[in-house]
Amino acid sequence: MATTKKFDQSTGYRSKSFLCIPLLNYSDEVIGVLQLINAKNDAGEVIAFSKDVQRTIEALASQAAVAIDN
């Protein structure tokens, strides 16, 4: 399994900020993970993911989990 460091080395990418949200089914079992890497501001600089973005992605993850579970 490739690690983030190995991935970055092999692709030339630089992973700095992460947002990982579990995909939970109706029984609250983890059936997957939605991971976003490197949020950027308007200037293109990598920044931390904001709380607003996190809430939006959590809603998306919830819908994705329902779709997968169905």
Side-chain angles (χ1 to χ4, degrees), residues 9-29:
Q9 288 173 343
S10 68
T11 63
Y13 196 74
R14 178 72 170 107
S15 302
K16 293 183 179 180
S17 67
F18 298 85
L19 179 60
C20 300
I21 306 292
L23 303 178
L24 303 173
N25 67 9
Y26 293 109
S27 302
D28 280 336
E29 298 169 321

Side-chain angles (χ1 to χ4, degrees), residues 25-43:
N25 67 9
Y26 293 109
S27 302
D28 280 336
E29 298 169 321
V30 176
I31 59 170
V33 176
L34 181 60
Q35 178 176 326
L36 283 71
I37 302 173
N38 288 356
K40 293 185 178 182
N41 63 16
D42 292 338

Side-chain angles (χ1 to χ4, degrees), residues 38-57:
N38 288 356
K40 293 185 178 182
N41 63 16
D42 292 338
E45 301 164 325
V46 176
I47 59 170
F49 286 90
S50 70
K51 292 292 182 186
D52 287 338
V53 167
Q54 181 177 341
R55 283 189 287 272
T56 301
I57 299 306

